[in-house]
């Protein structure tokens, strides 16, 4: 990485540490950091990355954060929890509840899983086929980082129709807890969505299908919520970052 003297940083974009699925840049002339997350995968490296990122923006006194999820197809929701813990001041959850339907097909599939935990496998095998179980997740809370670690500036979240799964869940939680402003287009998927899946093979065509065995409700979602995460500000996804910069400029002017 090129080392810049302090006097050289005023009108440049400074490239920071980059991992495979996530990176950030500091736009010091805009008092802004742009955090680009193209996947929610790799929890261990993500924790290292975020620790470095939030330490860096705090040292540089950055007051505006843009989180770009426009190309993020999802992955592990624990990465969303980790990021939220830097942005929120109260215990939180991304999910309201999960409905799970048990069946003989599901049990047969689970019995043959080689990487499933024994407790998980046994729980499914013990359930009566045809029954539906509701798991309340509203009290399974994640706690925020310590005050000195958290970001307390302005947050803008960029979303699009290509924002799916756990990335959309994160955007929904940001809206629900009023973490920041979502900008762009409605996300893919739905805030009430298919959860865990099993694989079955059709007997004649031999086509493999993924069949959902559960239904997840994002925090704040209701049964009739058959839509993605709708942005606070609706603009073309391709113009969302430019809009965010203009919004930041207005905020900077109003506070100076």
């Amino acid at each position: 990485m090129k080392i810049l003297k302090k006097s050289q940083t005023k009108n440049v974009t400074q490239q920071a540490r980059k991992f495979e699925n996530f990176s950030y840049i500091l736009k010091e002339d805009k008092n802004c950091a742009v955090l680009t997350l193209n996947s929610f995968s790799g929890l261990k490296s993500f924790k290292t990355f975020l620790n470095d990122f939030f330490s860096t923006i705090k040292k540089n006194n950055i007051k505006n954060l843009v989180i770009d999820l426009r190309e993020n197809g999802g992955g592990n929701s624990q990465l969303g929890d980790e990021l939220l813990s830097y942005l929120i001041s109260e215990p939180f959850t991304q999910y309201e509840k999960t409905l799970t339907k048990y069946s003989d097909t599901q049990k047969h599939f689970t019995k043959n899983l080689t990487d499933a935990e024994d407790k998980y496998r046994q729980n499914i095998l013990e359930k009566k086929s045809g029954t539906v179980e509701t798991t309340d997740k509203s009290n399974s809370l994640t706690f925020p980082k310590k005050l000195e670690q958290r970001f307390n500036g302005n947050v803008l979240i960029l979303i699009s129709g290509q924002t799916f799964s756990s990335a959309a869940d994160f955007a929904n939680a940001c809206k629900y807890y009023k973490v920041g402003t979502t900008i762009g287009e409605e996300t893919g998927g739905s805030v009430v969505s298919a959860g865990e899946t099993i694989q079955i093979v059709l007997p004649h065509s031999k086509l493999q299908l993924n069949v959902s065995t559960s239904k997840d409700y994002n925090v704040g979602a209701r049964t009739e919520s058959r839509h993605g995460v709708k942005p606070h500000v609706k603009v073309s996804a391709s113009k969302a970052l430019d809009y965010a910069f203009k919004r930041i400029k207005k905020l900077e002017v109003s506070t100076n």
Side-chain angles (χ1 to χ4, degrees):
M1 181 175 65
K2 183 178 180 181
I3 303 299
L4 300 176
K5 294 181 180 179
K6 189 173 182 180
S7 60
Q8 293 177 290
T9 63
K10 185 176 181 181
N11 293 307
V12 300
T13 295
Q14 185 176 354
Q15 180 70 42
R17 290 182 65 183
K18 184 175 181 180
F19 289 68
E20 182 179 358
N21 296 313
F22 19 90
S23 62
Y24 68 85
I25 54 174
L26 303 185
K27 289 184 171 292
E28 297 186 3
D29 58 322
K30 294 181 171 62
N31 191 15
C32 169
V34 180
L35 176 63
T36 302
L37 306 175
N38 291 327
S39 174
F40 273 170
S41 58
L43 180 59
K44 184 177 180 179
S45 59
F46 191 59
K47 287 182 177 181
T48 300
F49 172 81
L50 287 184
N51 181 65
D52 171 75
F53 170 66
F54 283 105
S55 295
T56 298
I57 62 175
K58 188 174 286 288
K59 288 177 183 177
N60 286 273
N61 200 31
I62 297 294
K63 298 300 183 183
N64 299 285
L65 170 58
V66 178
I67 303 174
D68 190 351
L69 303 175
R70 289 175 294 174
E71 298 297 325
N72 193 321
N76 184 350
S77 63
Q78 288 182 282
L79 278 75
D81 285 339
E82 187 68 18
L83 179 52
L84 273 169
S85 69
Y86 282 94
L87 306 174
I88 201 166
S89 59
E90 60 184 301
F92 64 89
T93 178
Q94 295 189 64
Y95 304 100
E96 194 83 31
K97 63 182 178 181
T98 295
L99 303 184
T100 304
K101 184 174 183 179
Y102 299 98
S103 68
D104 291 340
T105 303
Q106 177 195 29
K107 293 177 181 180
H108 177 75
F109 175 80
T110 304
K111 189 182 296 184
N112 293 308
L113 283 176
T114 57
D115 57 350
E117 294 182 1
D118 289 338
K119 185 176 180 180
Y120 169 81
R121 181 188 289 106
Q122 194 60 37
N123 177 64
I124 291 177
L125 296 178
E126 289 177 352
K127 302 297 182 180
K128 183 179 179 180
S129 295
T131 60
V132 177
E133 182 179 70
T134 300
T135 304
D136 182 3
K137 295 187 174 181
S138 61
N139 293 317
S140 298
L141 301 176
T142 300
F143 289 86
K145 300 293 183 185
K146 295 179 181 178
L147 180 61
E148 61 270 20
Q149 294 176 283
R150 298 199 304 264
F151 178 74
N152 60 1
N154 182 43
V155 181
L156 305 173
I157 304 104
L158 310 186
I159 57 177
S160 77
Q162 300 304 311
T163 308
F164 275 92
S165 187
S166 58
D169 297 344
F170 169 83
N172 176 75
C174 286
K175 283 192 67 177
Y176 181 81
Y177 290 105
K178 297 179 172 58
V179 168
T181 302
T182 49
I183 300 170
E185 302 169 354
E186 182 177 333
T187 66
S190 173
V191 293
V192 178
S193 60
E196 291 190 19
T197 62
I198 60 173
Q199 285 78 50
I200 62 173
V201 178
L202 297 179
H204 299 294
S205 66
K206 303 304 180 184
L207 291 174
Q208 180 173 293
L209 300 181
N210 289 327
V211 179
S212 174
T213 60
S214 64
K215 184 186 294 183
D216 290 329
Y217 286 72
N218 282 13
V219 63
R222 297 296 177 261
T223 302
E224 63 273 13
S225 303
R226 303 295 182 178
H227 55 76
V229 180
K230 298 179 180 179
H232 290 107
V233 181
K234 187 177 180 180
V235 297
S236 169
S238 62
K239 298 179 180 179
L241 183 57
D242 289 337
Y243 180 92
F245 287 153
K246 290 177 182 178
R247 189 180 181 98
I248 288 170
K249 185 176 181 181
K250 289 182 180 178
L251 287 171
E252 289 291 299
V253 170
S254 66
T255 55
N256 291 333

